[in-house]
Structure formats: C-alpha cells, structure tokens
Amino acid sequence: MATIRELARLCGVSPATVSRVFNSPEVVNPKTRELVLRAAERIGYLPNESARTLATKRSFMVGLVWDTDHRRPGWRHPFFQDILIGLKTALSGRGYHLLMLATNDGGRPDAHLRAVRRHNLDGVVLIDNGTWDPPLRTLAESGVPCVSLDRPVEGPRTTYVTSDNVGGAAAAVRHLHERGRRTIATIAGPERTRPGAERLQGYRAEMARRGLPYRPEHVVQGDFYLAGGYAAMRRLLEAEERPDAVFAAGDEMAIGALHAIAEAGLKVPQDIAVVGFDDIEPAALVPPGLTTVAQDTAGFGTAAAEAVVTMIDGGDPPPPRVLPTTLVVRGSTGGPLRGER
Amino acid sequence: MATIRELARLCGVSPATVSRVFNSPEVVNPKTRELVLRAAERIGYLPNESARTLATKRSFMVGLVWDTDHRRPGWRHPFFQDILIGLKTALSGRGYHLLMLATNDGGRPDAHLRAVRRHNLDGVVLIDNGTWDPPLRTLAESGVPCVSLDRPVEGPRTTYVTSDNVGGAAAAVRHLHERGRRTIATIAGPERTRPGAERLQGYRAEMARRGLPYRPEHVVQGDFYLAGGYAAMRRLLEAEERPDAVFAAGDEMAIGALHAIAEAGLKVPQDIAVVGFDDIEPAALVPPGLTTVAQDTAGFGTAAAEAVVTMIDGGDPPPPRVLPTTLVVRGSTGGPLRGER
DNA sequence: CTGAAAGCGCTTACAG
DNA sequence: CTGAAAGCGCTTACAG
C-alpha cells in the first residue's frame, strides 16, 4: 500500500500538494495535478481513510441504527430491503458509506452515541423499531445529524421522513366508495403506533367527508399481523350490519381478513371488497390480488440520504418529509378499470 | 471528546498505560487499571477508532458487498433481511461492525478491493447477486478474508456457506411420495444458477432412489419468478400424463403454479399437491398454505460471521458450510399429520 | 508493571 | 501555486 509520501517523492512534490490534488484539485497547477493523478493510478495509490478521518474529524460514514435486539429478533420493517437499497444508493452517490451499528454496548443509554463518537460518524439514520428508548433519545438530542424513518424525532439536528398515511387511508376509502361500496369497515392498527393512528384518522375523515356514517362496531382493532386481521374480520362478520368493504391498515391484516371471509363462504370482491396498506410482496401473490396503498419505499431511502447530508453539510434540518402514497388496484376490489393502474 | 492523553494526565500515568488498560488489561496493575477505568467512565472517554485503525491496521469492520447496481435495482435475495440480522448480531458479538460497501467506484474491476483497502476492512461478506463479475473476483483473489453466501468462491482466504439444496429437494420429493403421489413433476430454476441446478439434481436423485420414472415432459424450466412458475405449470397441465404433484424449486414459482392450477379448475392438494422452496413470507399467507423447504436463514449470517472472523484471526479458511434445510408442511400437501411440524 | 519515543498516513494553516 | 511543520489520537517495541 503506497502512501501519500511515496507518491509525493515519486512526483517530486510535497505530500501537501498530493493531498491537495485529491481534496481541492482546483487549487493546484493543472500540470502537477495530472502528473500526480497519473502516478497515483500507476502505483495504485489509495488514500487511507482512517488517517484522513483522524486529521479531519469527518468519516464520510453514516450510521444506520436498526434495532433488532434480543427481545424482538424477528422485528422487521415491511420494506426494509427497499429502504436500504434506496439509502445505500443515494448515500454512495454523495460519497458516503453506511455503517450498520451493532447495538450491544452493554445496554447503555448512550450506546448509539458512543458508537457515533468512536467512529466519527457524520450522521445517522434511524429505522423506526416501534419503541423509542433512551439510546435513541440520547442520540437525537446529542446534536448529531439524525434522520428518522416513519416516526418524528426531537433534537437540535433532526428530521424525519414518513408516508402520507392519512391521505393513503382516505384514498382507500374513496376507492371503495367509488366502486359502489356503502358499508365500509376498517381493521385498524394499534393506536399507539403512528401509522396505526394516522390510517384510522384518514379512514374516519374520508368517511365523514363522504357522508358515510361512522359505526363503532365497524372499527376493529388489529395488530398489523395475520392472526389479528383474521380475528378482527371474524368480528366484523358478526356485526349487525355486515360491511360490504373493509379497509385494513396493513396488508398482513388484510390477508388475514381474506382468510376469514373465505372461511365464511363469502366471495371477494363480490360480497366484500378489501383494501390493505403497504403493498408487501404477498399482496400481489395472494388470490384474487390485494388492492392496497403502496408507499414510496425507495423514496424513503433517498429522502433520508438527502436530509442527513444536508445537515452534515451544515444546513438547517429540513422540514419533515411526507411521501405520497399510491393506490394499487387489484382483484380484491374488482381489479383495475380501463385507464387505471 | 477526551483523548487518551488527557485521561492519562488525569490519572497520573502515561498514555501507553491507558492504552494497555483497554487493549491488554491483564498486563497492567489491577489498581492502576481500576483507576483508569473509573476515570474513563467519569469523563466519558471513548477511544478514537480512526486513530486506533491507523496505528494497528485493523478496523474491526467487515464489509458487506451486496450488489444492487443500476442494471438490477430490484434484485433481492429471498431472505436478505434475515441474513443481515444474523450477520449483524453474530459480528457485533465478536466486536465487529458491518460496513455496507457502496459499489460505484466508476465501475472499476477493483472497486470493492479499493474500498476494502481504503477503510482497512478486516474481511468481507459477499451476498450472491447471481453474477460473478471482475470486482468480486478481484476481491476474492486479493487475499482479503472473504466469505460468500450461496455460491462457491476461489481465492487464498475464502470460503462460503450455502444450504443443502440437494437434500432439501430430495426431502420435498420424499414427502410427496410418502403422501401417496406417484407422478411428481418439477418446475426447475435456471440451470446456470447454483440453487437451480442443485435442486434439480436433488429431485432427480430422489425420484431415482424411489424407483419413480424420470419423464422429461415433467421437468419444466422456470425462472424463480411468479410468471415463470405459472407458465411452467400450464405446460405441465398439458402433459400427456397429468402430474399429481409438483415440486417447484422456488416459492414464487410454486405460487405461480397454484394460480395456474386454480385457473384450470383443479384443487390443491386434492388434484395436485405442491411443494416450494425457501419459505418466503407469502408461503404461509397464500391459501391453502404452501408446503416448502425452509432454509436456515439466521444460520447463514451466523455461519458467515464465524467463518470470516476465523480467517481474520489468522485461521485457515474453514471448509464450505452446508446448512441443513427443513420441510415445512402446510395445506398444499394436505397439512401436517399428527406429530409433524 | 510502566514510560518515552517513534510512528501510523493524512490535512491544513502559515509563510513564501 | 507550493512546501515545511505541526498535529490528529492512538499503539507498540524497547528499555528499565
């Protein structure tokens, strides 16, 4: 591994000049610059990032805090993989790498912050893990640039990106209503989760807007999982007035509902139309195809990268970013009409 | 941010001693050690990893090469997320962080290796992306500890971990045969992919072992995706002798087959039993539940971490690790019998 | 068991 | 436009 000193000697210049060739090329004589660049290529010179970080206090690395601890080993964000692709791509386009933070610093309340400091991380992206424990809070309040996904954060240099849950839920209700459904029930997510609360809010708002009556017996709580959706649907089927449509605040719950409906000998969409939320992979694979509200998964990563880099570059925290959702119409509401997606 | 020098002065010892407290504690006087540790905690001293890496040439970081380039933005390993969890957990248990490598170093053939050198990465994990391009080859041949997932590698300090595809496919055939099926077709994956070839091999071996005739018309090529499975199943349904069972080398293909079967007015499992491979999320969600061969997803990550750390520690490359698979019986083959999983 | 010293490979005012 | 020098914060033979 050649060093800057060897490269400098080879070119008959000082290490300082070589350094400038890589860091502020515009300041060095074009001829010298070319000379150095060519020699660097020839001997395979590569700047040592540790030395650079030590000297500059910048690592060009962004930390990713994605909590999968012992208590919740199976926890998964519905489209973690897409977010990660978007994040990685956008970040590397801006010259940053992504460091996955291990979260086992003895369970200390400042675990994440310690990792950030040790490695001189320039910023951090947090993927919502449903809780908001001290390590996250400590990090957010530390002044390290910090962008959170799917949940608000408070701190001097923080912001977040989320989906338009309210609008997405409203679009689901609108779609059902436009397809002629009049008794639209909902299987809600847990109210303490932000998406759960917001999607319920969107449902209620749109129902009201369209003059559809709000019936408490048509609002059932689920847990975002299959079994919860199934159980909730069974309760809906026992309601005094059977709904002719259901908006489930998550695809797994929607698929659970599909099972309950089939079990009751009813047909989707003829007897009951169903709309989910998230557009997870199974949505397209489950018969008759689940109409659902898709989030802009890659956009999450890109938006997060943009926001964190803005703050790293000294900019003010950008306002929270709310990404638009898209209704994907499939068989569970009768399939796309001409011209529809 | 306190430095080792300040901490040393505070304790009335030399920086060398403080360094030893953190790096070879057994060599320093217990009293001094305690003193330093306590003071470190009090002033919040954190060793600077860049400085440490610069001095030692070890970063305690492992690179993750997971290619999602422009040509294949949507490419996904079936259980990327599980692998990542296992990898991260196992690695951080051993004191390593995971650096996601950006792969845009101008498309150079040594792109990955350059990143490894710049960052002094101690080792690398490669997730198979279906191709084996120069950047991967260059890396594997460089002498950097390197473990690959789901595909063999050649290089001085390399090894790989994979699933028992042959055994898993054989188990699928055995299961179908034991459930009374006699005409067992297969929807194979592309032969050029390793899992594709191995699963086909397992199918043929087990068919032969059980004295079941090999019929070319019952071996149809798929592409691991839904549409391919659907098309393949349609061809199987037109075969002279209609199969009473199908082993699909991937779950998406199996689900595609389910659709084709339903469309033909046939019942699963009554008319045709179906087994898939991978146990992706939809397998459990698609009616009537897809029997499938599950891989040890978390084990992948753990095994990879073990292997790479072994090599980092100077050990010889461990032999390739072949992880056992598990048959998960669901409705598409009649569901579990008593005592079965 | 401990310290002084040199070194890891870069960057960046400062001076010219 | 360029160089000499100091400094970033650690580690590690070497000597005691």
Side-chain angles (χ1 to χ4, degrees), chain B residues 110-151:
Chain B
D110 55 350
H112 298 139
L113 184 55
R114 285 169 66 92
V116 167
R117 301 261 193 251
R118 294 171 70 121
H119 291 275
N120 283 294
L121 300 186
D122 297 329
V124 159
V125 173
L126 310 173
I127 298 195
D128 181 22
N129 74 337
T131 68
W132 189 244
D133 19 28
L136 295 176
R137 194 189 311 276
T138 306
L139 189 55
E141 288 167 358
S142 70
V144 173
C146 201
V147 6
S148 163
L149 264 32
D150 257 352
R151 96 167 330 276

Short mmCIF file of all heavy atoms in Angstrom, two decimals, chain B residues 110-151:
data_model
loop_
_atom_site.label_atom_id
_atom_site.label_comp_id
_atom_site.label_asym_id
_atom_site.label_seq_id
_atom_site.Cartn_x
_atom_site.Cartn_y
_atom_site.Cartn_z
N ASP B 110 -11.61 -3.27 -9.77
CA ASP B 110 -11.13 -3.46 -8.40
C ASP B 110 -11.90 -2.59 -7.41
O ASP B 110 -11.41 -2.25 -6.33
CB ASP B 110 -9.63 -3.15 -8.32
CG ASP B 110 -9.33 -1.75 -8.85
OD1 ASP B 110 -10.24 -1.12 -9.43
OD2 ASP B 110 -8.19 -1.29 -8.68
N ALA B 111 -13.13 -2.24 -7.79
CA ALA B 111 -13.92 -1.31 -6.98
C ALA B 111 -14.04 -1.76 -5.52
O ALA B 111 -13.76 -0.99 -4.60
CB ALA B 111 -15.32 -1.17 -7.58
N HIS B 112 -14.41 -3.00 -5.30
CA HIS B 112 -14.58 -3.47 -3.94
C HIS B 112 -13.27 -3.51 -3.18
O HIS B 112 -13.18 -3.12 -2.03
CB HIS B 112 -15.22 -4.86 -3.93
CG HIS B 112 -16.57 -4.90 -4.55
ND1 HIS B 112 -16.99 -5.91 -5.38
CD2 HIS B 112 -17.61 -4.05 -4.47
CE1 HIS B 112 -18.21 -5.67 -5.78
NE2 HIS B 112 -18.62 -4.55 -5.24
N LEU B 113 -12.26 -4.01 -3.86
CA LEU B 113 -10.96 -4.12 -3.20
C LEU B 113 -10.45 -2.75 -2.78
O LEU B 113 -9.88 -2.59 -1.70
CB LEU B 113 -9.96 -4.80 -4.14
CG LEU B 113 -8.58 -5.07 -3.55
CD1 LEU B 113 -8.69 -5.88 -2.27
CD2 LEU B 113 -7.69 -5.77 -4.56
N ARG B 114 -10.66 -1.77 -3.61
CA ARG B 114 -10.24 -0.41 -3.27
C ARG B 114 -10.92 0.06 -1.99
O ARG B 114 -10.27 0.63 -1.11
CB ARG B 114 -10.58 0.54 -4.41
CG ARG B 114 -9.65 0.41 -5.60
CD ARG B 114 -10.19 1.17 -6.81
NE ARG B 114 -10.23 2.60 -6.63
CZ ARG B 114 -9.25 3.43 -6.97
NH1 ARG B 114 -8.15 2.96 -7.51
NH2 ARG B 114 -9.36 4.73 -6.78
N ALA B 115 -12.20 -0.20 -1.89
CA ALA B 115 -12.93 0.21 -0.69
C ALA B 115 -12.36 -0.51 0.54
O ALA B 115 -12.20 0.07 1.60
CB ALA B 115 -14.41 -0.10 -0.85
N VAL B 116 -12.06 -1.79 0.35
CA VAL B 116 -11.51 -2.57 1.46
C VAL B 116 -10.19 -1.97 1.93
O VAL B 116 -9.96 -1.81 3.13
CB VAL B 116 -11.31 -4.04 1.03
CG1 VAL B 116 -10.47 -4.79 2.04
CG2 VAL B 116 -12.66 -4.72 0.84
N ARG B 117 -9.35 -1.62 0.99
CA ARG B 117 -8.04 -1.08 1.34
C ARG B 117 -8.13 0.30 1.98
O ARG B 117 -7.48 0.59 2.97
CB ARG B 117 -7.17 -0.98 0.08
CG ARG B 117 -6.94 -2.31 -0.63
CD ARG B 117 -5.59 -2.88 -0.25
NE ARG B 117 -5.22 -3.97 -1.14
CZ ARG B 117 -5.18 -5.25 -0.76
NH1 ARG B 117 -5.48 -5.58 0.48
NH2 ARG B 117 -4.83 -6.18 -1.62
N ARG B 118 -8.92 1.15 1.40
CA ARG B 118 -9.06 2.49 1.94
C ARG B 118 -9.51 2.48 3.38
O ARG B 118 -9.09 3.29 4.19
CB ARG B 118 -10.08 3.30 1.13
CG ARG B 118 -9.68 3.59 -0.28
CD ARG B 118 -10.85 4.19 -1.04
NE ARG B 118 -11.14 5.53 -0.56
CZ ARG B 118 -11.12 6.61 -1.34
NH1 ARG B 118 -10.85 6.49 -2.62
NH2 ARG B 118 -11.37 7.78 -0.84
N HIS B 119 -10.43 1.55 3.67
CA HIS B 119 -11.01 1.53 5.01
C HIS B 119 -10.37 0.50 5.92
O HIS B 119 -10.84 0.30 7.03
CB HIS B 119 -12.51 1.26 4.91
CG HIS B 119 -13.27 2.40 4.30
ND1 HIS B 119 -13.71 3.48 5.03
CD2 HIS B 119 -13.64 2.65 3.03
CE1 HIS B 119 -14.33 4.33 4.23
NE2 HIS B 119 -14.30 3.85 3.01
N ASN B 120 -9.33 -0.14 5.43
CA ASN B 120 -8.68 -1.17 6.24
C ASN B 120 -9.67 -2.22 6.74
O ASN B 120 -9.58 -2.68 7.89
CB ASN B 120 -8.00 -0.54 7.47
CG ASN B 120 -6.71 0.12 7.12
OD1 ASN B 120 -5.75 -0.55 6.72
ND2 ASN B 120 -6.66 1.43 7.21
N LEU B 121 -10.61 -2.59 5.89
CA LEU B 121 -11.57 -3.60 6.33
C LEU B 121 -10.85 -4.91 6.62
O LEU B 121 -9.92 -5.30 5.92
CB LEU B 121 -12.64 -3.82 5.25
CG LEU B 121 -13.45 -2.59 4.90
CD1 LEU B 121 -14.57 -2.95 3.93
CD2 LEU B 121 -14.02 -1.93 6.15
N ASP B 122 -11.29 -5.57 7.68
CA ASP B 122 -10.62 -6.80 8.10
C ASP B 122 -11.09 -8.00 7.27
O ASP B 122 -10.38 -9.00 7.18
CB ASP B 122 -10.90 -7.06 9.58
CG ASP B 122 -10.33 -5.95 10.44
OD1 ASP B 122 -9.30 -5.37 10.05
OD2 ASP B 122 -10.92 -5.65 11.49
N GLY B 123 -12.27 -7.91 6.72
CA GLY B 123 -12.80 -9.03 5.95
C GLY B 123 -14.05 -8.58 5.22
O GLY B 123 -14.48 -7.44 5.35
N VAL B 124 -14.61 -9.50 4.48
CA VAL B 124 -15.74 -9.15 3.63
C VAL B 124 -16.72 -10.31 3.52
O VAL B 124 -16.33 -11.47 3.52
CB VAL B 124 -15.22 -8.78 2.22
CG1 VAL B 124 -16.31 -8.91 1.20
CG2 VAL B 124 -14.66 -7.36 2.21
N VAL B 125 -18.00 -9.98 3.46
CA VAL B 125 -19.04 -10.97 3.19
C VAL B 125 -19.71 -10.61 1.88
O VAL B 125 -20.08 -9.45 1.66
CB VAL B 125 -20.09 -11.00 4.32
CG1 VAL B 125 -21.25 -11.91 3.96
CG2 VAL B 125 -19.45 -11.47 5.63
N LEU B 126 -19.85 -11.59 1.01
CA LEU B 126 -20.47 -11.35 -0.29
C LEU B 126 -21.82 -12.04 -0.35
O LEU B 126 -21.91 -13.24 -0.13
CB LEU B 126 -19.62 -11.95 -1.41
CG LEU B 126 -18.13 -11.61 -1.40
CD1 LEU B 126 -17.42 -12.43 -2.48
CD2 LEU B 126 -17.96 -10.13 -1.66
N ILE B 127 -22.85 -11.27 -0.67
CA ILE B 127 -24.14 -11.91 -0.89
C ILE B 127 -24.28 -12.13 -2.39
O ILE B 127 -24.15 -11.20 -3.18
CB ILE B 127 -25.29 -11.04 -0.36
CG1 ILE B 127 -25.12 -10.88 1.15
CG2 ILE B 127 -26.63 -11.67 -0.70
CD1 ILE B 127 -26.34 -10.36 1.85
N ASP B 128 -24.55 -13.35 -2.74
CA ASP B 128 -24.62 -13.71 -4.16
C ASP B 128 -25.64 -12.86 -4.88
O ASP B 128 -26.78 -12.76 -4.48
CB ASP B 128 -25.00 -15.19 -4.29
CG ASP B 128 -25.06 -15.60 -5.75
OD1 ASP B 128 -24.43 -14.93 -6.58
OD2 ASP B 128 -25.71 -16.62 -6.04
N ASN B 129 -25.20 -12.27 -5.95
CA ASN B 129 -26.14 -11.48 -6.73
C ASN B 129 -26.40 -12.12 -8.08
O ASN B 129 -26.89 -11.48 -8.99
CB ASN B 129 -25.61 -10.06 -6.92
CG ASN B 129 -24.47 -10.03 -7.91
OD1 ASN B 129 -23.82 -11.04 -8.13
ND2 ASN B 129 -24.24 -8.89 -8.52
N GLY B 130 -26.03 -13.38 -8.19
CA GLY B 130 -26.35 -14.10 -9.41
C GLY B 130 -25.29 -13.97 -10.49
O GLY B 130 -25.25 -14.75 -11.42
N THR B 131 -24.44 -12.96 -10.36
CA THR B 131 -23.36 -12.85 -11.34
C THR B 131 -22.04 -12.98 -10.60
O THR B 131 -22.00 -13.05 -9.38
CB THR B 131 -23.38 -11.50 -12.06
OG1 THR B 131 -23.03 -10.49 -11.11
CG2 THR B 131 -24.74 -11.22 -12.65
N TRP B 132 -20.98 -13.01 -11.33
CA TRP B 132 -19.67 -13.13 -10.70
C TRP B 132 -18.71 -12.27 -11.50
O TRP B 132 -17.94 -12.75 -12.30
CB TRP B 132 -19.24 -14.61 -10.68
CG TRP B 132 -18.02 -14.82 -9.86
CD1 TRP B 132 -16.79 -15.24 -10.29
CD2 TRP B 132 -17.89 -14.65 -8.45
NE1 TRP B 132 -15.91 -15.31 -9.25
CE2 TRP B 132 -16.55 -14.96 -8.12
CE3 TRP B 132 -18.76 -14.24 -7.43
CZ2 TRP B 132 -16.07 -14.87 -6.80
CZ3 TRP B 132 -18.28 -14.16 -6.14
CH2 TRP B 132 -16.96 -14.49 -5.83
N ASP B 133 -18.84 -10.99 -11.28
CA ASP B 133 -18.08 -10.07 -12.11
C ASP B 133 -16.69 -9.79 -11.56
O ASP B 133 -16.35 -10.17 -10.45
CB ASP B 133 -18.86 -8.77 -12.33
CG ASP B 133 -19.95 -8.57 -11.30
OD1 ASP B 133 -19.78 -9.08 -10.19
OD2 ASP B 133 -20.95 -7.91 -11.60
N PRO B 134 -15.88 -9.13 -12.36
CA PRO B 134 -14.50 -8.82 -12.01
C PRO B 134 -14.33 -8.23 -10.61
O PRO B 134 -13.42 -8.64 -9.90
CB PRO B 134 -14.07 -7.85 -13.10
CG PRO B 134 -14.89 -8.23 -14.29
CD PRO B 134 -16.20 -8.67 -13.73
N PRO B 135 -15.18 -7.28 -10.18
CA PRO B 135 -14.96 -6.73 -8.84
C PRO B 135 -14.99 -7.81 -7.76
O PRO B 135 -14.22 -7.75 -6.81
CB PRO B 135 -16.13 -5.76 -8.68
CG PRO B 135 -16.49 -5.35 -10.06
CD PRO B 135 -16.24 -6.56 -10.90
N LEU B 136 -15.86 -8.80 -7.93
CA LEU B 136 -15.93 -9.86 -6.94
C LEU B 136 -14.72 -10.77 -7.05
O LEU B 136 -14.10 -11.14 -6.06
CB LEU B 136 -17.22 -10.68 -7.14
CG LEU B 136 -18.51 -9.90 -6.89
CD1 LEU B 136 -19.72 -10.77 -7.21
CD2 LEU B 136 -18.56 -9.43 -5.45
N ARG B 137 -14.38 -11.11 -8.28
CA ARG B 137 -13.24 -11.99 -8.49
C ARG B 137 -11.95 -11.35 -7.94
O ARG B 137 -11.17 -11.98 -7.23
CB ARG B 137 -13.09 -12.26 -9.99
CG ARG B 137 -12.16 -13.41 -10.33
CD ARG B 137 -11.91 -13.45 -11.84
NE ARG B 137 -13.17 -13.39 -12.59
CZ ARG B 137 -13.94 -14.44 -12.84
NH1 ARG B 137 -13.56 -15.63 -12.43
NH2 ARG B 137 -15.06 -14.31 -13.51
N THR B 138 -11.79 -10.09 -8.27
CA THR B 138 -10.59 -9.38 -7.81
C THR B 138 -10.50 -9.41 -6.29
O THR B 138 -9.43 -9.64 -5.71
CB THR B 138 -10.64 -7.90 -8.27
OG1 THR B 138 -10.83 -7.87 -9.69
CG2 THR B 138 -9.36 -7.18 -7.92
N LEU B 139 -11.62 -9.20 -5.67
CA LEU B 139 -11.67 -9.21 -4.21
C LEU B 139 -11.29 -10.58 -3.66
O LEU B 139 -10.43 -10.70 -2.78
CB LEU B 139 -13.08 -8.84 -3.77
CG LEU B 139 -13.31 -8.57 -2.29
CD1 LEU B 139 -12.38 -7.49 -1.80
CD2 LEU B 139 -14.76 -8.17 -2.07
N ALA B 140 -11.91 -11.61 -4.21
CA ALA B 140 -11.70 -12.96 -3.71
C ALA B 140 -10.24 -13.39 -3.87
O ALA B 140 -9.68 -14.10 -3.03
CB ALA B 140 -12.61 -13.94 -4.42
N GLU B 141 -9.63 -12.93 -4.92
CA GLU B 141 -8.26 -13.36 -5.20
C GLU B 141 -7.21 -12.52 -4.49
O GLU B 141 -6.02 -12.81 -4.53
CB GLU B 141 -8.01 -13.33 -6.72
CG GLU B 141 -8.74 -14.45 -7.44
CD GLU B 141 -8.78 -14.26 -8.95
OE1 GLU B 141 -8.27 -13.23 -9.43
OE2 GLU B 141 -9.33 -15.15 -9.63
N SER B 142 -7.68 -11.45 -3.84
CA SER B 142 -6.73 -10.50 -3.25
C SER B 142 -6.07 -10.99 -1.98
O SER B 142 -5.06 -10.46 -1.55
CB SER B 142 -7.46 -9.20 -2.93
OG SER B 142 -8.35 -9.44 -1.84
N GLY B 143 -6.67 -11.99 -1.34
CA GLY B 143 -6.12 -12.43 -0.07
C GLY B 143 -6.86 -11.84 1.13
O GLY B 143 -6.57 -12.18 2.27
N VAL B 144 -7.83 -10.97 0.86
CA VAL B 144 -8.67 -10.47 1.93
C VAL B 144 -9.62 -11.59 2.37
O VAL B 144 -10.19 -12.26 1.52
CB VAL B 144 -9.50 -9.27 1.44
CG1 VAL B 144 -10.51 -8.82 2.49
CG2 VAL B 144 -8.60 -8.12 1.04
N PRO B 145 -9.78 -11.81 3.68
CA PRO B 145 -10.73 -12.82 4.13
C PRO B 145 -12.11 -12.54 3.58
O PRO B 145 -12.61 -11.42 3.69
CB PRO B 145 -10.71 -12.66 5.66
CG PRO B 145 -9.38 -12.10 5.96
CD PRO B 145 -9.04 -11.20 4.81
N CYS B 146 -12.70 -13.55 3.03
CA CYS B 146 -13.85 -13.35 2.18
C CYS B 146 -14.79 -14.54 2.31
O CYS B 146 -14.40 -15.65 2.01
CB CYS B 146 -13.27 -13.27 0.77
SG CYS B 146 -14.26 -12.49 -0.42
N VAL B 147 -16.02 -14.32 2.77
CA VAL B 147 -16.96 -15.44 2.74
C VAL B 147 -18.16 -15.08 1.91
O VAL B 147 -18.72 -13.99 2.02
CB VAL B 147 -17.33 -16.00 4.14
CG1 VAL B 147 -16.75 -15.19 5.26
CG2 VAL B 147 -18.79 -16.25 4.28
N SER B 148 -18.52 -16.02 1.07
CA SER B 148 -19.57 -15.80 0.11
C SER B 148 -20.82 -16.59 0.52
O SER B 148 -20.73 -17.65 1.11
CB SER B 148 -19.08 -16.25 -1.26
OG SER B 148 -20.15 -16.41 -2.14
N LEU B 149 -21.96 -16.02 0.22
CA LEU B 149 -23.21 -16.68 0.57
C LEU B 149 -23.83 -17.28 -0.67
O LEU B 149 -24.03 -16.58 -1.67
CB LEU B 149 -24.17 -15.66 1.19
CG LEU B 149 -24.20 -15.57 2.72
CD1 LEU B 149 -22.87 -15.87 3.33
CD2 LEU B 149 -24.72 -14.23 3.17
N ASP B 150 -24.14 -18.57 -0.60
CA ASP B 150 -24.90 -19.22 -1.66
C ASP B 150 -24.14 -19.43 -2.97
O ASP B 150 -24.78 -19.68 -3.99
CB ASP B 150 -26.18 -18.43 -1.97
CG ASP B 150 -27.39 -19.10 -1.36
OD1 ASP B 150 -27.24 -20.22 -0.84
OD2 ASP B 150 -28.48 -18.52 -1.40
N ARG B 151 -22.84 -19.28 -2.93
CA ARG B 151 -22.09 -19.60 -4.14
C ARG B 151 -20.62 -19.82 -3.76
O ARG B 151 -20.08 -19.15 -2.90
CB ARG B 151 -22.22 -18.49 -5.18
CG ARG B 151 -21.09 -17.54 -5.13
CD ARG B 151 -20.88 -16.55 -6.24
NE ARG B 151 -21.27 -16.83 -7.58
CZ ARG B 151 -20.52 -17.51 -8.44
NH1 ARG B 151 -19.38 -18.05 -8.08
NH2 ARG B 151 -20.92 -17.63 -9.68
#
